[in-house]
Every structure is written in structure tokens, then in C-alpha cells.
């Protein structure tokens, strides 16, 4: 007896030791998980900022001296007329009666000036367009991150270089260029004048009247008269009418088309008034637009209707019209900044086919204006002087082009000097290594009067200087992109190693003892080497005067890879383990990785094409149901249900992103939700004998505190449908919401979300209660088909749970029937979790697909569909931006909450660690993050640039976003209980 006591006693001691070891491991794991989450948040926050150091770094440099022209200015003054929002085709084409809308400017084109199309580069907005016209460069990409401040980065312009500038027009444009220029006289109308409800052509007349009164005043004001008689003057009239009328009435409207006649009339009156006032024929005139206008009354993108703007130049220093001939086509392969080919055919209806058309890039207008009045080109300009517009002798033409070349070259040299002075290992732009010799050669050719050769060399040097500017703008790209990419890859590897060590049975069991002893001796050395390497890189960056964030990027990346090298023995053990496995396992591993990568790439592309989800769910539904039909009888209804649910959800990503109002559909959705709840309730009560429902229909664990809870929840859903009808009809009739209606809506929404906490804690019962609990607020915030989407998503989540439950049941039955040792294949981590296996990778992947569908199912940020403001009117009608925004964001969160509740339930069903799956989700999302990192755009419309940033930001923020949602849904899912899968399968046997 004593011996047996002793044996039992030893067992008790061993059991006690195991319990202590298990408690220590849990404590260690909790600390490590917290540390990884904190590291992940910091890493993603730091790396998210890298796009602003790479893609949105200002191209503007300061410190260059202006290049003084060495030729006589052909004009004393310049008049710049900008018709904001004027499309080229609407300007040149005739009206329905065959009359041209701009008769005066057409007479100029045919009799005394030059014409063409000025090609604007996206973003085709007013500010970037005017910056290109007046300063000669395309909008600083960093401006997109700084909003519409007057000048996010200070830059030079034609107005800065003039002796004096007179400007009249919009308060949004004129102050940008004249606000900080002391030698300027300007005025703007009040913002209130920009009223879309009226014909805005009076704004153009206002600008003309201001200029007319200025000239009239000069007859009495001697100082003003003296100022006006000086040379190097610039007169700028900003004509906003076409833009405002285009937005309000569309560019095909009679109001917009009549505004074209108005600006033509203003151009004619300005011309005659200036010529009559000065009487010296020394004025140059340029008429153009900053951007066009789409058929929908918008602008911003790179469509030809937005990028093609008219250009007419005449007066002092401008060539006369030239008949078209076959020898005029000299740049057939040249592409403009909006991707138009050079020498695009002129539409026949324009009636200008016999006169040479000279198209230019919008930034070329700045050096053209500077040359006409003999000013130095703006020092930040990247425009090329369009010689086909300039009427000069050959020697002066060469001098003008050389001045333009030197101005671009000065920018290149300045950038090269800044980079060289800050770089320990400088890589110069080799094509311009001998620029000084080329300049000397050009000067010699000019002195020998070989103007043609000098011109060719000057133009070639300017082209190389522009390439050099791009070279230094992207000088650090390779280094930064390599560091950031290595950082993300290091993070993913480190995360995978953590998952393998903490949640699987892989290398830990193979070499844990060997690993522990050897790792201690190597860790110190590796950490020391990592610190030294990190210090060396920091010193290097410090000596190169790199920004502080460069240090953060390199430190984070080196730190991660040091941690990975510290895990050498884990990696070695994993390699040994994989080498020892059968070839079939390796094939399975490679196939799983390939499928995961395919799904992640599908998700990346779905950000720009929602229809991909339609194909995804059609195919997934078919494959899943075929798999189930092979394994379980069709009479169970599960295979058919899975297929129908997936196909039903696939419809929604074909729907328009702008959700149309349909209150009847919202009310009908309430009935559908109640019906789904009734079916789920019936299955919960009557499916206990069904072997495929044993795990999710869990009776007797915890009865609901309120037996009538389901009926109350169904009643609240029905009541919310009634309130949708009442609130909408009342608001439509009375234009305001009754306080009683508001109170009822708030009460229903708040009360219904609390009720799931009191439901039974069986998986099916709790999820049904959560589905019914969040239905009332979602219905009250819905305006159309998104209310049906809520039910469709819930059905697919149920199909996912049934699929996983069936897979679990089949795997356990197979193991029992084949008499395999359960202990080996069902290794446990804790009392309620088992180790992750390769096949479990499908769970985080399916979660990611459903999580993204919850976001894109009814639209996305780009389309603003989910932010339809009328969806909050049932809760609040008085404008309150913060409360309205909170309600709209909450509406977006509800589908996410359903997906995460289903995901948490599946981890409980499979008895796998939820945080392990969370780390896999973050690893997979970072594969997408790397892809989006390379897709960030710094050219194109503000929407395209903003979308590329937001896509990268959304995926980067998932490390925090998903974790917060996990914490929130844990309130509802923490006490969900499932029957042991093992018990279930044994019962079935």
C-alpha cells in the first residue's frame, strides 16, 4: 500500500510540476503576445510614414540664381487671361447653328497669332493648373499632404520676377501668387459671389471691370500711370465663370456655352482697351485655361476633357499664323504630360485644319511668358520654351533657349550639390558629368554663328537636365524601399516564428533542450553585433544629414532581423523537421502557400475592382458544396445551403456603389432578418440529434436568463422596420424628425445591442442573438440594398461555420475509425486549445476575404457610398459633424463585428488559439501591405493619389483595427461554449 502511495505521490508531484510549468508558459506567452502587439503597432505606424519620405518629397529646391536673359525683350507687358474650367473642344467647335462661340479669338488665330492645345497634367485642379501656368512646374506632390494652404512650399513664379503684377479674380487663386509679392496690385471678389445657383459669368465681368477701372484711374493718378508705362509688367485676369457654371450646370448647358462667348468678349475688350491705352504695339497676350471639365461637371483626373485646354497667343513677340504643311511634323513620337501623342489630328468641326496647330505642355507657358517680356524663367520651372510661338531673330532664339536650359540646369546642379554634400558615397548623374564643356561648346558655336548646332546642343542639354532632376528626386528610393520591404518581411518572418514556437507542435518538441542551452550563449553575441551594426548605420545616416525618420526605419529593420537571427536554432530545427517529412507534405506546404498568395493578390486587386468578389463567391460556393456533397449526404441540406448563401452574397458587389434610396427594401429586410432568426432558433431547438450540428447546437450549458429573449429581439427588429417607415415618411412630409421618433430609434438601437449578453452561450444560440441584436441599429442606418446585404453576410458566416463544423466532424470520425492515436495528432497547448496545423491556415484566409467583403460589399471610401449622409437622419437631423460621422463609422463596423464574432466562434469550435490566428491574419495582411506600398502614386488626380495612400493606410492599420474589434467582440463571444469535437465524433460513432 505504501509503495502504491509512493507511486501516486510521485505522479502528484509530476502533475504539480506540469501545472507550474504550464502556468509559467501561459505567463510567458501572454507577455510575449503583448510585446508583439506593441511592436506591431509601432512598426506599422513608423513604416506608414515612409511613403511621405519616398513618394511625397518636395521637388523644389532653393538657392539657385535666376538666369538673366541675354536678348532684347520683344514685349514690354504681358496680359494673361485664364478661363478657369474651359474645355478645348467647347472653345473651338461651332454651336448647333454653325456659329463659333469665340469669334474674336478665332480671328486672332487666323490673322495675327498662334494656337494649339495646352496639355495639363493630372491632378487637373485649379491650384495645380495655375502653378503649372505661372510657376512652370507641376504641383508639388507634398501639397497633397498639406491641404490647400496658400503655399505649402515656397516657389518662384513669373509674377515674382516681374517688375509689377496686376491681378484680379478668384479669392482661391490670386492670393496664392500675389499674397506674398510686394510688387503686386491685386483684388478679389468675396467668396459669397461664388454661388452655383446663378449664372457665374458675372464673375468674369467683375475681373474685367476691375482692370478697366485701373486703367481709368491711371489717367488721374500720375504714379499709377508711371508704373503702367514701365516694362516687364504682367496683367493677370482670372475668369472663374466657366468653372462655376460647368460644376453647376454641366459643360453642355447653354449657361456654360454662353460663358465661352463671355470670355471671348472679355478678351476682345481687354485687347482693344490695352491697345488704345498704350498705343505702342508692345503688349503680348496669352489666353488659356487651367483645366477642362468632364461631361458630369467635374475635373481632377487625366481624361482628355479635363487635360485638353485652349491656348491662343498673339501680340508683341508672337509669330503670325502659319499654313499647315507636311514639313511641320517634327516630334511624331513625343508624348505630352497627359499621355497624348504629338500631332494628334485636329477635329474637322473646329475648322482650323489649314492653320498649323502647336500643342505644348502646360508648364511650357511659364518660360514662354518670361521670354516674351524678357524676364528670367522662374527658378523652379521645368517647362521647355516653345519656339514655334516666339517671333525672334535666330540668334535671340538660341539665347532664349540657352537661358531656359541654364535655368533647368541650375536646379539640377543645386540638387546634385545638396546630395553630394550630404553623401559619404555619392553617385553622380553620369550623363551630365561634362555639362560645363557642353556649355562652353554652345557658347563657341554661338560666337561662330552656328545657331542650328547651338540650338540642338542646348535642347539636348535641357532634356538631360530634366532627367537629372528626376534622378535626384528618386535618389533615395532604392535604399528606402529596400529597408522598408526588408522590415515588413522581417516582421512577417518573426511573427511566423512566434506562431510556430507558441501555437504549433513543430520545432519546439524537436530541439527545445538543445535550443535553450545553445541559444543562451549566442543571444548575447548576436545582440551585441546587432547593436553595433545599428549604431554604425545611425552614424552613417547622421553624417549624411538624413531626416530623423530614416534612423527610425533602419533601427526597426535591423532590430527585427537581429531578433530573427537570434532564432537561428528554431529555424534550424524547422529546416531539419521539414527535411525529415515526406515529399507529399512539402507539396502540400507549397500548394498552401501558393493558394494563400493567390487569395491575397485577389484581395489587393479587389480594392480597385469589387466585381472580383462576385467571381470569388460564385467559385467558393460551388467548390465548398461539391466538397461537402462528397463527404456528407445532400439530405442534410448543408451543401446546398452553403452554395446558395455564397451565390446570394456574390450579387452585392455588382450593385452600384452609390446606394439608391429604397425604404421598402429596408422594411422587407427586417422581415428577412426575423425569418432567418426563426430558422436558426428552430435548428437550435430541434437539431440535437443531427450529428452534423452537435458541436454548434450546445444544450444544457447555460440557459438564457430570459426565456422570452428571442421573442423580444425579433420584436425589436420588427419595431425598427416600422420606425424606418415612420421616420422616413414623416421627415419627407414635415422636413424634420419628431423628438419622440428620435428617442424611440436611439432606445431600440441601444437596448437591442445589450440583449445578446443575456442569451444562451451555445454557439448557434449566441450568434443568432448577436445577429438579431445588431440588426435594429443597422436597419435604422440603412437607406437601400445594404440592409439585405446584412442578412446575406450573416448567411455566408453561418455557411462558413457549418462548413468548418462538418470538416471537423469528418476529420475526427476518420481518425477514430482508422484507430490512429488521437494524442499524437491532437497535441494540446492548454486545457481548451490544441496546436495549430497547416490545414488551419484556411481559417485566417477565409476571415480576410469575409472581412474585406464586409467593407466593400456596399461600397468603399473612394465611392463614399457607405457615407450617404441621409442614413443618419433617423437619429439626428440637426447638423453635428462628429455625431454624424460616429454613426456612419458605426454602421460600417457592424458587418465587421459579425465577421469577427463568427471567426472567434470557429476558433472555439476547432479549439485553436485565437491570438495565433490573429497573428496569421496580420502576417497575411502585411503581404498586401508590401504590395500596396509599391502601388502608392504621386501622379494623377487627387482621388487617385488619395486612394493609393488610403489603401496602403487601411491595410497597415489592420494590426490595430482588427485587435480593437477582437477586444470589442470578445464581450459577446468569450463565454461561447461548444461540445468537444472529440466527444461529438465519439457520440456519432
Amino acid at each position: 500500500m505504501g509503495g502504491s502511495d509512493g507511486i501516486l505521490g510521485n505522479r502528484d508531484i509530476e502533475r504539480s510540476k506540469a501545472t507550474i510549468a504550464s502556468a509559467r508558459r501561459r505567463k510567458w506567452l501572454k507577455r510575449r503576445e503583448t510585446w508583439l502587439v506593441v511592436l506591431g503597432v509601432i512598426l506599422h505606424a513608423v513604416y506608414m510614414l515612409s511613403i511621405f519620405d519616398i513618394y511625397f518629397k518636395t521637388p523644389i529646391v532653393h538657392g539657385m540664381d535666376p538666369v538673366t536673359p541675354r536678348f532684347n525683350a520683344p514685349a514690354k507687358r504681358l496680359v494673361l487671361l485664364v478661363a478657369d474650367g474651359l474645355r478645348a473642344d467647347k472653345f473651338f467647335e461651332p454651336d448647333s447653328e454653325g456659329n463659333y462661340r469665340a469669334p474674336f479669338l478665332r480671328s486672332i488665330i487666323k490673322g495675327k497669332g498662334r494656337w494649339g492645345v495646352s496639355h495639363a497634367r493630372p491632378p487637373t485642379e485649379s491650384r495645380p493648373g495655375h502653378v503649372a501656368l505661372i510657376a512652370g512646374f507641376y504641383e508639388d506632390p507634398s501639397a497633397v499632404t498639406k491641404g490647400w494652404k496658400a503655399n505649402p512650399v515656397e516657389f518662384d513664379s513669373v509674377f515674382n520676377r516681374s517688375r509689377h503684377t496686376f491681378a484680379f479674380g478668384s479669392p482661391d487663386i490670386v492670393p496664392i501668387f500675389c499674397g506674398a509679392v510686394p510688387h503686386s496690385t491685386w483684388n478679389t471678389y468675396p467668396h459669397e459671389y461664388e454661388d452655383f445657383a446663378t449664372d457665374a459669368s458675372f464673375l468674369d465681368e467683375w475681373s474685367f471691370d476691375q482692370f478697366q477701372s485701373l486703367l481709368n484711374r491711371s489717367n488721374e493718378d500720375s504714379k499709377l500711370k508711371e508704373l503702367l508705362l514701365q516694362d516687364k509688367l504682367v496683367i493677370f485676369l482670372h475668369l472663374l465663370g466657366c468653372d462655376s457654371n460647368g460644376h453647376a450646370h454641366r459643360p453642355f448647358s447653354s449657361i456654360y456655352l454662353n460663358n465661352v462667348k463671355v470670355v471671348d468678349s472679355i478678351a476682345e475688350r481687354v485687347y482693344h482697351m490695352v491697345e488704345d491705352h498704350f498705343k505702342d504695339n508692345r503688349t503680348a497676350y496669352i489666353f488659356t485655361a487651367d483645366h477642362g471639365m468632364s461631361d458630369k461637371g467635374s475635373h481632377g483626373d487625366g481624361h482628355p476633357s479635363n487635360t485638353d485646354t485652349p491656348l491662343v497667343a498673339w501680340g508683341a513677340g508672337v509669330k503670325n499664323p502659319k499654313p499647315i504643311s507636311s514639313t511641320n511634323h517634327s516630334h511624331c513620337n513625343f508624348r505630352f504630360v497627359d499621355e497624348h501623342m504629338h500631332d494628334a489630328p485636329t477635329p474637322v468641326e473646329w475648322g482650323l485644319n489649314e492653320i498649323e496647330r502647336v500643342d505644348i505642355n502646360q508648364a511650357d507657358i511659364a518660360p514662354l511668358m518670361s521670354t516674351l517680356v524678357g524676364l528670367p524663367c522662374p527658378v523652379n520651372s521645368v517647362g521647355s520654351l516653345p519656339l514655334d510661338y516666339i517671333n525672334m531673330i535666330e540668334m535671340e532664339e538660341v539665347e532664349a533657349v540657352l537661358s531656359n536650359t541654364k535655368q533647368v540646369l541650375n536646379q539640377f546642379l543645386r540638387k546634385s550639390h545638396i546630395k553630394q554634400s550630404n553623401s559619404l558615397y555619392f553617385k553622380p548623374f553620369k550623363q551630365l558629368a561634362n555639362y560645363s564643356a557642353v556649355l562652353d561648346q554652345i557658347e563657341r558655336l554661338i560666337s561662330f554663328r552656328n545657331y542650328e548646332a547651338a540650338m540642338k546642343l542646348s535642347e539636348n542639354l535641357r532634356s538631360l537636365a530634366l532627367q537629372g532632376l528626376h534622378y535626384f528626386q528618386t535618389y533615395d528610393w532604392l535604399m528606402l524601399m529596400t529597408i522598408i520591404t526588408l522590415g515588413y518581411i522581417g516582421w512577417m518572418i518573426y511573427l511566423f516564428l512566434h506562431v510556430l514556437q507558441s501555437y504549433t507542435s513543430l520545432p519546439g518538441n524537436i530541439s527545445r533542450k538543445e535550443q535553450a542551452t545553445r541559444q543562451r550563449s549566442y543571444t548575447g553575441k548576436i545582440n551585441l553585433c546587432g547593436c553595433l551594426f545599428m549604431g554604425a548605420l545611425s552614424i552613417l545616416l547622421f553624417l549624411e544629414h538624413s531626416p530623423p525618420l530614416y534612423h527610425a526605419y533602419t533601427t526597426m529593420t535591423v532590430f527585427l532581423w537581429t531578433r530573427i537571427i537570434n532564432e537561428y536554432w528554431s529555424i534550424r530545427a524547422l529546416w531539419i523537421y521539414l527535411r525529415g517529412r515526406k515529399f507529399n507534405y512539402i507539396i502540400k506546404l507549397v500548394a498552401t502557400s501558393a493558394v494563400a498568395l493567390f487569395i491575397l493578390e485577389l484581395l489587393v486587386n479587389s480594392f480597385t475592382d469589387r466585381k472580383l468578389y462576385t467571381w470569388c463567391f460564385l467559385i467558393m460556393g460551388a467548390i465548398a458544396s461539391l466538397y461537402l456533397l462528397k463527404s456528407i449526404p445532400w439530405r442534410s441540406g448543408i451543401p446546398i445551403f452553403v452554395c446558395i448563401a455564397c451565390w446570394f452574397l456574390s450579387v452585392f458587389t455588382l450593385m452600384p456603389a452609390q446606394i439608391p434610396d429604397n425604404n421598402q427594401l429596408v422594411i422587407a429586410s427586417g422581415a428577412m432578418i426575423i425569418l432567418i432568426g426563426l430558422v436558426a432558433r428552430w435548428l437550435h431547438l430541434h437539431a440535437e440529434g443531427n450529428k452534423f450540428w452537435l458541436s454548434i447546437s450546445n444544450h444544457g450549458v447555460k440557459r438564457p436568463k430570459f426565456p422570452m429573449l428571442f421573442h423580444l429581439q425579433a420584436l425589436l427588429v420588427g419595431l425598427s422596420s416600422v420606425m424606418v417607415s415612420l421616420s422616413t415618411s414623416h421627415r419627407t412630409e414635415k422636413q424634420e424628425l419628431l423628438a419622440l421618433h428620435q428617442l424611440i430609434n436611439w432606445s431600440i438601437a441601444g437596448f437591442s445591442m445589450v440583449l445578446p449578453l443575456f442569451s444562451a452561450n451555445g454557439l448557434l444560440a449566441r450568434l443568432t442573438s448577436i445577429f438579431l441584436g445588431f440588426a435594429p441599429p443597422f436597419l435604422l442606418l440603412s437607406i437601400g440594398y445594404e440592409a439585405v446585404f446584412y442578412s446575406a453576410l450573416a448567411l455566408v458566416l453561418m455557411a462558413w461555420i457549418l462548413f468548418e463544423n462538418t470538416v471537423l466532424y469528418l476529420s475526427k470520425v476518420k481518425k477514430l475509425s482508422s484507430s490512429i492515436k488521437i494524442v499524437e495528432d491532437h497535441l494540446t497547448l492548454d486545457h481548451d486549445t490544441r496546436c495549430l496545423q497547416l490545414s488551419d491556415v484556411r481559417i485566417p484566409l477565409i476571415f480576410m476575404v469575409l472581412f474585406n467583403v464586409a467593407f466593400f460589399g456596399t461600397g468603399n471610401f473612394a465611392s463614399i457610398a457607405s457615407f450617404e449622409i441621409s442614413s443618419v437622419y433617423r437619429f439626428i437631423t440637426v447638423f453635428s459633424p462628429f455625431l454624424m460621422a460616429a454613426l456612419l463609422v458605426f454602421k460600417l463596423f457592424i458587418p465587421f463585428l459579425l465577421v469577427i464574432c463568427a471567426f472567434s466562434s470557429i476558433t472555439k469550435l476547432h479549439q485553436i488559439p485565437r491570438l495565433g490566428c490573429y497573428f496569421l491574419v496580420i502576417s497575411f495582411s502585411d503581404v498586401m501591405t508590401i504590395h500596396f506600398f509599391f502601388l502608392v502614386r504621386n501622379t494623377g488626380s487627387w482621388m487617385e493619389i488619395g486612394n493609393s495612400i488610403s489603401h496602403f493606410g487601411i491595410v497597415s492599420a489592420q494590426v490595430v483595427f482588427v485587435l480593437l474589434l477582437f477586444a470589442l467582440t470578445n464581450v459577446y463571444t468569450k463565454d461561447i461554449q461548444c461540445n468537444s469535437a472529440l466527444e461529438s465524433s465519439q457520440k456519432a460513432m
Side-chain angles (χ1 to χ4, degrees):
M1 200 69 178
S4 86
D5 283 340
I7 292 166
L8 287 172
N10 288 338
R11 283 181 181 172
D12 288 341
I13 291 166
E14 285 174 12
R15 203 171 287 127
S16 174
K17 284 180 180 177
T19 306
I20 293 165
S22 177
R24 281 179 183 167
R25 190 181 184 284
R26 278 200 300 272
K27 196 174 178 182
W28 169 83
L29 189 58
K30 194 172 181 181
R31 277 204 311 270
R32 189 175 168 94
E33 285 168 347
T34 306
W35 147 247
L36 272 172
V37 168
V38 172
L39 177 65
V41 171
I42 295 169
L43 178 136
H44 285 82
V46 169
Y47 284 172
M48 208 185 295
L49 297 171
S50 66
I51 60 169
F52 301 109
D53 278 321
I54 297 171
Y55 296 102
F56 300 103
K57 207 164 191 175
T58 175
I60 296 171
V61 286
H62 300 286
M64 296 86 64
D65 293 324
V67 179
T68 307
R70 299 191 305 191
F71 54 86
N72 296 320
K76 277 185 74 175
R77 69 198 68 84
L78 173 92
V79 176
L80 172 63
L81 303 166
V82 178
D84 202 307
L86 177 57
R87 274 168 63 152
D89 57 346
K90 298 302 166 196
F91 175 78
F92 291 116
E93 71 186 16
D95 59 23
S96 56
E97 297 174 4
N99 300 317
Y100 292 101
R101 299 185 186 100
F104 169 72
L105 288 168
R106 284 185 73 82
S107 68
I108 293 291
I109 291 169
K110 291 184 175 182
K112 58 174 75 170
R114 300 290 268 162
W115 79 284
V117 171
S118 167
H119 296 273
R121 193 185 84 168
T124 45
E125 303 283 354
S126 293
R127 178 199 160 88
H130 282 88
V131 168
L133 285 169
I134 300 166
F137 70 94
Y138 299 102
E139 178 63 292
D140 176 6
S142 68
V144 78
T145 65
K146 296 182 175 74
W148 286 78
K149 295 178 184 175
N151 277 331
V153 180
E154 290 300 322
F155 55 81
D156 193 20
S157 73
V158 174
F159 296 174
N160 289 17
R161 296 289 155 202
S162 68
R163 194 179 303 279
H164 200 90
T165 294
F166 300 92
F168 307 103
S170 167
D172 295 320
I173 297 300
V174 173
I176 293 174
F177 301 95
C178 298
V181 177
H183 53 274
S184 65
T185 302
W186 57 278
N187 196 9
T188 64
Y189 40 78
H191 276 286
E192 297 77 47
Y193 279 26
E194 298 175 25
D195 185 359
F196 287 161
T198 60
D199 179 355
S201 59
F202 79 94
L203 299 176
D204 301 344
E205 295 289 356
W206 184 95
S207 297
F208 172 76
D209 292 343
Q210 291 289 311
F211 178 54
Q212 187 177 36
S213 66
L214 177 85
L215 292 184
N216 291 338
R217 279 202 320 275
S218 69
N219 295 326
E220 301 167 3
D221 187 338
S222 58
K223 284 187 177 178
L224 180 58
K225 187 173 184 176
E226 187 183 343
L227 182 62
L228 284 167
L229 289 173
Q230 291 183 343
D231 62 353
K232 295 180 173 53
L233 293 186
V234 176
I235 297 154
F236 170 48
L237 297 188
H238 178 251
L239 312 174
L240 186 66
C242 286
D243 186 71
S244 295
N245 284 330
H247 286 310
H249 309 288
R250 308 292 184 265
F252 288 92
S253 65
S254 58
I255 293 179
Y256 180 90
L257 297 175
N258 182 66
N259 210 143
V260 179
K261 297 177 183 177
V262 172
V263 295
D264 179 71
S265 167
I266 288 172
E268 182 177 15
R269 283 179 279 160
V270 165
Y271 171 67
H272 290 306
M273 193 166 62
V274 169
E275 293 301 311
D276 290 345
H277 188 273
F278 293 102
K279 298 183 176 66
D280 60 0
N281 294 321
R282 294 291 307 279
T283 308
Y285 302 86
I286 289 178
F287 174 89
T288 187
D290 54 346
H291 57 75
M293 182 74 63
S294 74
D295 294 346
K296 294 180 180 178
S298 62
H299 52 83
D301 61 23
H303 191 273
S305 63
N306 289 328
T307 60
D308 289 0
T309 61
L311 173 64
V312 182
W314 74 99
V318 179
K319 284 181 178 176
N320 289 324
K322 185 177 179 182
I324 199 160
S325 68
S326 57
T327 58
N328 293 345
H329 302 268
S330 57
H331 300 287
C332 297
N333 295 322
F334 175 76
R335 280 186 178 273
F336 294 102
V337 287
D338 62 344
E339 291 301 308
H340 272 53
M341 286 294 289
H342 191 84
D343 290 332
T346 302
V348 178
E349 60 268 21
W350 290 8
L352 296 169
N353 293 63
E354 296 177 359
I355 303 169
E356 186 185 28
R357 163 183 165 183
V358 183
D359 286 11
I360 64 172
N361 287 321
Q362 195 172 56
D364 299 342
I365 294 174
L368 171 61
M369 292 192 294
S370 298
T371 302
L372 287 172
V373 283
L375 299 172
C377 280
V379 295
N380 306 119
S381 170
V382 294
S384 299
L385 178 65
L387 281 175
D388 289 321
Y389 281 84
I390 300 287
N391 185 21
M392 289 174 150
I393 61 173
E394 194 175 12
M395 184 190 77
E396 289 184 332
E397 277 188 357
V398 174
E399 288 289 359
V401 171
L402 183 58
S403 292
N404 182 206
T405 299
K406 285 178 177 177
Q407 170 266 320
V408 178
L409 187 64
N410 280 353
Q411 289 183 76
F412 164 79
L413 294 174
R414 180 63 183 157
K415 281 199 170 188
S416 178
H417 172 72
I418 291 168
K419 185 53 67 177
Q420 187 171 6
S421 61
N422 291 335
S423 298
L424 296 177
Y425 175 66
F426 175 69
K427 289 187 288 184
F429 184 66
K430 292 177 182 176
Q431 289 93 316
L432 282 176
N434 62 337
Y435 75 91
S436 56
V438 176
L439 284 174
D440 292 341
Q441 189 178 354
I442 293 168
E443 295 289 357
R444 279 198 304 274
L445 288 168
I446 292 172
S447 65
F448 294 146
R449 298 188 179 181
N450 188 350
Y451 300 129
E452 188 179 345
M455 181 77 76
K456 201 170 283 184
L457 265 181
S458 294
E459 288 177 339
N460 184 52
L461 185 61
R462 181 178 60 197
S463 176
L464 286 173
L466 288 169
Q467 291 175 37
L469 285 176
H470 178 73
Y471 171 79
F472 285 114
Q473 182 65 22
T474 59
Y475 188 85
D476 290 333
W477 278 27
L478 181 62
M479 182 266 287
L480 286 174
M481 284 180 156
T482 304
I483 288 169
I484 301 301
T485 306
L486 281 173
Y488 277 120
I489 292 169
W491 163 251
M492 288 187 289
I493 292 171
Y494 190 51
L495 219 50
F496 270 120
L497 286 172
H498 169 70
V499 171
L500 288 171
Q501 288 173 344
S502 306
Y503 308 111
T504 72
S505 61
L506 282 178
N509 291 339
I510 300 165
S511 62
R512 194 164 282 163
K513 288 179 184 175
E514 179 191 12
Q515 187 181 321
T517 52
R518 293 193 179 184
Q519 201 159 327
R520 283 193 203 101
S521 60
Y522 281 94
T523 299
K525 294 175 184 176
I526 292 164
N527 286 341
L528 179 63
C529 291
C531 288
L532 291 172
F533 185 57
M534 201 184 293
L537 285 177
S538 292
I539 291 167
L540 192 67
L541 290 170
F542 179 77
L543 292 172
E544 293 195 342
H545 301 92
S546 299
L549 277 172
Y550 282 31
H551 294 265
Y553 306 144
T554 51
T555 300
M556 194 71 74
T557 302
V558 172
F559 170 77
L560 281 167
W561 282 96
T562 304
R563 300 291 297 179
I564 290 165
I565 295 166
N566 267 329
E567 302 292 339
Y568 166 75
W569 294 107
S570 299
I571 298 166
R572 185 170 175 270
L574 176 62
W575 175 247
I576 292 166
Y577 173 81
L578 290 174
R579 279 200 310 179
R581 293 302 297 258
K582 292 179 181 177
F583 185 67
N584 289 349
Y585 182 81
I586 304 301
I587 294 292
K588 189 179 174 185
L589 183 64
V590 172
T592 304
S593 303
V595 170
L597 196 60
F598 174 78
I599 290 170
L600 295 173
E601 285 303 304
L602 179 87
L603 292 177
V604 167
N605 288 287
S606 72
F607 273 67
T608 50
D609 185 7
R610 292 193 306 141
K611 291 184 179 71
L612 286 172
Y613 287 113
T614 300
W615 289 106
C616 177
F617 280 96
L618 286 173
I619 294 165
M620 272 174 57
I623 291 172
S625 59
L626 285 172
Y627 172 81
L628 292 172
L629 278 171
K630 273 187 173 183
S631 313
I632 62 175
W634 67 272
R635 289 186 192 85
S636 65
I638 294 173
I640 297 165
F641 171 72
V642 169
C643 186
I644 291 170
C646 288
W647 286 7
F648 182 33
L649 186 64
S650 71
V651 174
F652 289 89
T653 42
L654 295 174
M655 297 281 191
Q658 299 290 341
I659 302 170
D661 285 10
N662 191 332
N663 282 304
Q664 286 74 24
L665 197 58
V666 178
I667 294 161
S669 299
M672 187 190 296
I673 289 165
I674 293 170
L675 182 63
I676 292 168
L678 284 168
V679 173
R681 173 77 171 168
W682 184 88
L683 287 168
H684 174 67
L685 294 174
H686 298 92
E688 195 169 356
N690 189 324
K691 57 189 175 183
F692 302 112
W693 294 77
L694 286 174
S695 294
I696 63 174
S697 181
N698 193 20
H699 295 287
V701 179
K702 175 190 170 187
R703 294 291 178 187
K705 292 179 181 177
F706 306 105
M708 300 298 286
L709 181 67
F710 173 80
H711 304 87
L712 178 59
Q713 288 190 292
L715 179 67
L716 287 172
V717 174
L719 190 57
S720 64
S721 296
V722 172
M723 290 309 299
V724 165
S725 177
L726 279 175
S727 301
T728 308
S729 62
H730 192 81
R731 184 173 53 82
T732 306
E733 292 166 13
K734 301 277 184 74
Q735 293 301 314
E736 63 178 43
L737 190 66
L738 286 179
L740 179 64
H741 286 176
Q742 267 184 286
L743 181 63
I744 292 170
N745 290 342
W746 280 104
S747 301
I748 291 171
F751 185 52
S752 65
M753 290 187 292
V754 177
L755 292 179
L757 297 171
F758 302 99
S759 66
N761 63 352
L763 189 149
L764 182 60
R766 177 57 61 88
L767 289 184
T768 304
S769 186
I770 292 169
F771 168 66
L772 292 172
F774 282 96
F778 196 81
L779 286 174
L780 289 166
L781 287 166
S782 296
I783 59 168
Y785 73 79
E786 80 271 36
V788 186
F789 170 76
Y790 181 80
S791 296
L793 181 65
L795 289 173
V796 167
L797 293 173
M798 193 64 238
W800 182 27
I801 290 167
L802 288 173
F803 177 83
E804 292 294 342
N805 187 51
T806 307
V807 168
L808 185 66
Y809 165 78
L810 291 170
S811 66
K812 295 306 171 186
V813 168
K814 185 180 177 183
K815 286 172 186 175
L816 283 169
S817 59
S818 57
S819 304
I820 297 173
K821 289 180 184 176
I822 299 299
V823 179
E824 288 181 8
D825 286 317
H826 201 77
L827 287 165
T828 57
L829 293 168
D830 211 336
H831 64 281
D832 59 348
T833 55
R834 65 166 174 82
C835 290
L836 285 170
Q837 296 168 355
L838 183 61
S839 58
D840 293 327
V841 168
R842 74 179 180 279
I843 295 170
L845 284 173
I846 294 171
F847 166 76
M848 288 188 71
V849 172
L850 291 169
F851 193 79
N852 280 275
V853 165
F855 180 63
F856 288 109
T858 57
N860 52 50
F861 283 122
S863 67
I864 324 178
S866 298
F867 293 89
E868 175 57 52
I869 196 71
S870 61
S871 64
V872 303
Y873 288 162
R874 299 184 189 112
F875 290 94
I876 182 171
T877 52
V878 179
F879 183 69
S880 174
F882 293 109
L883 183 56
M884 285 178 164
L887 286 168
L888 291 169
V889 171
F890 176 66
K891 178 190 173 184
L892 283 178
F893 271 25
I894 292 174
F896 291 143
L897 293 171
L898 289 188
V899 174
I900 290 185
C901 285
F903 177 70
S904 299
S905 302
I906 285 168
T907 58
K908 284 179 177 287
L909 189 68
H910 280 282
Q911 296 181 323
I912 54 176
R914 190 171 68 153
L915 262 173
C917 288
Y918 162 74
F919 287 130
L920 286 177
V921 166
I922 298 308
S923 294
F924 290 145
S925 69
D926 280 334
V927 175
M928 295 169 63
T929 305
I930 292 174
H931 194 131
F932 280 123
F933 174 67
F934 288 99
L935 291 179
V936 173
R937 297 185 60 172
N938 59 0
T939 58
S941 69
W942 289 139
M943 181 177 280
E944 290 166 335
I945 294 170
N947 281 350
S948 69
I949 296 171
S950 64
H951 292 164
F952 174 69
I954 287 165
V955 182
S956 294
Q958 282 193 7
V959 68
V960 180
F961 184 59
V962 176
L963 188 71
L964 290 174
L965 286 173
F966 270 145
L968 189 62
T969 54
N970 195 49
V971 175
Y972 293 98
T973 60
K974 65 182 176 183
D975 60 341
I976 287 180
Q977 291 191 17
C978 311
N979 285 329
S980 165
L982 191 55
E983 288 173 16
S984 302
S985 50
Q986 285 170 340
K987 285 180 186 176
M989 289 297 289

